[in-house]
Amino acid sequence: MSAEPRINDRIRVPEVRLVGPSGEQVGIVPLAKALELAQEYDLDLVEVAANARPPVCKLMDYGKFKYESAMKAREARKNQAHTVIKEMKLRPKIDPHDYDTKKGHVVRFLKQGDKVKITIMFRGREQSRPELGYRLLQRLAEDVQDLGFVESNPKQDGRNMIMVLGPHKKKTEAMAEARQAQEARKAEAKANPGRSQNAADAESAAAPAEASAEA
């Protein structure tokens, strides 16, 4: 069954409760009179409440109405928050540099409002030392406690140990903050175009010096 409302000559009732173009109540009028008014206003007669007795119809530009409705639905889908679960894998004897790198990714995911599944992978004799993985997961949870919380406590899953971190910040809040930050950067760049160019020139000037140092 079509979700499209009946319009103009597709409306088959003897009378309708008519609403004007600005939302004013015209009252109950014969269908023929409602269609005549629609022609006078160069608008469409659209049935907006088919189950009412009599049905409620409104005078409107139906093409414009459909376009605006489609744009609103598109914007709503664009801003809809989708829960995403990221995954980060660590070894129980991870070195400090790799740990900091992995932690940085977890921090970024949590700031974006995403959940993070942390997996500790055990190999060989490491499987007899599950406490190593447990301590590592506890350490990571403490290091990012300002951004996230332990949603699922560490548990053994075959050769792996798994923990799930949830963000304190909702996805919608993270998206809104990201948009605000982006708009702020655009505004600053527009207000200070020379500053952005100077920064780019400084980076270009630094590049040869860095190359010489590496050589």
Side-chain angles (χ1 to χ4, degrees), residues 58-179:
K58 184 176 181 180
L59 297 174
M60 68 172 76
D61 183 336
Y62 187 58
K64 181 180 178 181
F65 171 76
K66 284 185 66 177
Y67 173 79
E68 291 177 348
S69 296
M71 290 298 100
K72 288 179 181 177
R74 181 180 177 183
E75 189 66 21
R77 288 194 299 270
K78 180 180 177 182
N79 294 330
Q80 188 176 9
H82 297 282
T83 301
V84 177
I85 298 181
K86 304 289 187 177
E87 182 171 17
M88 188 60 54
K89 297 181 178 180
L90 294 78
R91 294 294 306 283
K93 296 181 179 179
I94 188 170
D95 68 61
H97 175 73
D98 285 344
Y99 174 80
D100 288 339
T101 300
K102 300 279 188 178
K103 184 181 70 174
H105 292 311
V106 173
V107 166
R108 178 163 52 87
F109 295 147
L110 292 173
K111 282 184 176 180
Q112 292 172 352
D114 295 322
K115 296 182 181 181
V116 189
K117 175 184 176 183
I118 312 296
T119 302
I120 304 294
M121 301 179 296
F122 296 95
R123 293 180 183 174
R125 296 181 179 179
E126 291 175 347
Q127 296 179 59
S128 64
R129 301 287 305 281
E131 70 276 5
L132 294 177
Y134 185 78
R135 284 201 295 265
L136 182 58
L137 291 175
Q138 280 190 314
R139 173 188 172 190
L140 180 58
E142 290 173 0
D143 286 348
V144 299
Q145 61 183 340
D146 290 342
L147 298 170
F149 62 96
V150 177
E151 184 173 284
S152 178
N153 289 316
K155 62 180 180 181
Q156 197 74 27
D157 182 17
R159 295 183 178 181
N160 301 327
M161 183 174 286
I162 296 171
M163 177 181 72
V164 177
L165 295 173
H168 290 312
K169 190 180 299 180
K170 293 182 179 179
K171 185 74 172 179
T172 50
E173 294 174 357
M175 291 172 64
E177 288 185 5
R179 283 196 298 270

Side-chain angles (χ1 to χ4, degrees), residues 38-60:
Q39 287 185 333
E40 289 181 10
Y41 283 106
D42 194 23
L43 295 172
D44 298 299
L45 181 66
V46 182
E47 190 177 58
V48 295
N51 294 328
R53 291 293 178 266
V56 180
C57 294
K58 184 176 181 180
L59 297 174
M60 68 172 76

